[in-house]
Amino acid sequence: MKQIIPPQSGVGFALRAGQRLVVTDPEGQQVADLFCFSRADPSDALSSGRSIDYNDTILFTTGHILYGQSGRGMLKIEADSLGRHDFLVTPCSQQMFTMLGAEGYHPSCLENLERSLARFGVNTNQIGTSFNIFMHVAFDEKGRIAVKPPLSRAGDQVTFLALQDLFVGLTACSDEGTNNGSCRPIHFEVVQNVPI
Amino acid sequence: MKQIIPPQSGVGFALRAGQRLVVTDPEGQQVADLFCFSRADPSDALSSGRSIDYNDTILFTTGHILYGQSGRGMLKIEADSLGRHDFLVTPCSQQMFTMLGAEGYHPSCLENLERSLARFGVNTNQIGTSFNIFMHVAFDEKGRIAVKPPLSRAGDQVTFLALQDLFVGLTACSDEGTNNGSCRPIHFEVVQNVPI
């Protein structure tokens, strides 16, 4: 059953090994930050550095595996209609918005991930670099990065296969700048268990 | 006083706010992995994702600040005679060497960081993407990465200013492949407290 993450919010849920998570951008140009932990050992969190190292890439798409800090595979990207995501930067945060000049409170992916994952016993400092679905971070040969409008169009989707039991946090990104000016919803679906 | 890290080993030490850490490659083409934690809150570890986000770069040199997960600055690069380091990949590990075909035990930066930081109460899964001084990770426009021989020559050095009290782990990298075929020592020096 498809579920909706309203703009600037997030959800947390358990994903069993063999289940598939399908994340859809229903309107286009909307980013979804994903972070996860091993259910068997919640100190084992998603690791961009391990994933970059073991896949020999900073751009992830179909066939790549997202690893935890321990080096155990967590999620395999089984299908990807877009092919451009980010695994370099941390979720947007109140601190980031304040640095960028926001006055007062601004919803953020970090807050939404914290809230969504809190019931699984996770603390803020464990939420590191997220896999930022549909996010377009450009980089040049000098290493400079720039956040560009997402390349996703309505209906673009990514399917992840869970390689172990996980606790997952997933957001509809709260940063207007990242999402080409306005924040929209994200759809997701957990496809029931298939033995792996 | 200059101290020597023998090949394929590591050290752990406390660094006070205002102290400077000078890391030197005495022979050339030798990588040193650095990881650190906030002394005030050891759950706050070095974060490549936060650092990439807040500096708008994946290549770090003089003037850049390395941030912790909380977004507090940890180390500022004050001087850098080389200008090419890595902040994308996790430390080499027994698992990585096994994946690459090694039979049996191989020393690794992850093991050396674990050992060096254990007395500060840090556990393995908290040791994420290290700042890999002198490491040369090339990347192309498709995001593919490749570990190349370090560009450092004998005497190249990097000076870090501590922006808060830290626990630091530092290695002479154990991976022959990363260090152009053989593993050499690293020198470092902690320059005593200067008010910041």
Side-chain angles (χ1 to χ4, degrees), chain B:
Chain B
M1 190 183 70
K2 263 197 187 153
Q3 299 183 66
I4 297 170
I5 307 176
Q8 300 185 311
S9 69
V11 294
F13 52 92
L15 197 64
R16 290 284 184 185
Q19 285 186 319
R20 286 165 176 83
L21 169 66
V22 183
V23 180
T24 304
D25 179 355
E27 301 178 20
Q29 300 201 305
Q30 175 60 43
V31 168
D33 285 10
L34 181 154
F35 201 76
C36 59
F37 294 86
S38 168
R39 186 168 181 155
D41 174 10
S43 81
D44 190 12
L46 182 67
S47 168
S48 66
R50 195 77 67 200
S51 302
I52 290 169
D53 194 20
Y54 286 1
N55 290 279
D56 290 325
T57 189
I58 53 178
L59 294 177
F60 291 74
T61 187
T62 306
H64 290 134
I65 291 173
L66 311 187
Y67 290 89
Q69 175 59 31
S70 72
R72 281 189 66 204
M74 289 185 148
L75 292 166
K76 179 174 183 176
I77 303 178
E78 279 202 327
D80 176 9
S81 68
L82 176 59
R84 184 75 190 215
H85 316 284
D86 173 71
F87 208 5
L88 292 173
V89 298
T90 38
C92 62
S93 62
Q94 178 65 50
Q95 185 184 54
M96 185 202 84
F97 288 113
T98 302
M99 287 170 72
L100 292 174
E103 292 185 8
Y105 173 78
H106 194 293
S108 69
C109 285
L110 184 57
E111 180 187 29
N112 287 325
L113 288 170
E114 283 166 11
R115 282 188 185 164
S116 301
L117 291 164
R119 65 190 165 109
F120 302 123
V122 167
N123 75 53
T124 306
N125 281 342
Q126 290 178 271
I127 301 173
T129 304
S130 40
F131 187 69
N132 305 309
I133 307 164
F134 310 125
M135 187 173 184
H136 184 190
V137 176
F139 52 87
D140 66 19
E141 72 287 355
K142 293 190 172 172
R144 290 173 300 211
I145 65 163
V147 178
K148 304 277 190 183
L151 298 171
S152 51
R153 292 187 292 189
D156 268 323
Q157 62 181 211
V158 182
T159 302
F160 302 90
L161 170 67
L163 302 178
Q164 57 173 290
D165 291 353
L166 298 168
F167 295 130
V168 177
L170 185 67
T171 70
C173 173
S174 298
D175 178 22
E176 294 83 356
T178 294
N179 301 297
N180 202 22
S182 65
C183 295
R184 289 168 292 273
I186 284 288
H187 291 181
F188 76 101
E189 185 169 13
V190 174
V191 180
Q192 286 313 307
N193 213 27
V194 180
I196 56 171

Side-chain angles (χ1 to χ4, degrees), chain A residues 44-57 60 65-73 87, chain B residues 48 88-96 99 110 114 124-130 145:
Chain A
D44 190 12
L46 182 67
S47 168
S48 65
R50 194 78 68 202
S51 302
I52 289 170
D53 194 19
Y54 286 2
N55 291 279
D56 290 324
T57 189
F60 291 75
I65 291 174
L66 311 188
Y67 290 90
Q69 175 57 32
S70 73
R72 282 188 66 204
F87 207 5
Chain B
S48 66
L88 292 173
V89 298
T90 38
C92 62
S93 62
Q94 178 65 50
Q95 185 184 54
M96 185 202 84
M99 287 170 72
L110 184 57
E114 283 166 11
T124 306
N125 281 342
Q126 290 178 271
I127 301 173
T129 304
S130 40
I145 65 163

Side-chain angles (χ1 to χ4, degrees), chain A residues 102-147:
Chain A
E103 292 186 9
Y105 174 78
H106 193 292
S108 70
C109 285
L110 183 58
E111 182 188 28
N112 287 325
L113 288 170
E114 284 167 10
R115 283 189 185 162
S116 302
L117 291 164
R119 64 190 166 112
F120 303 124
V122 167
N123 75 53
T124 306
N125 280 342
Q126 289 179 272
I127 301 173
T129 305
S130 41
F131 187 69
N132 305 309
I133 307 164
F134 310 125
M135 187 173 184
H136 184 190
V137 176
F139 51 87
D140 66 19
E141 72 286 354
K142 293 190 174 173
R144 291 173 298 210
I145 65 164
V147 178

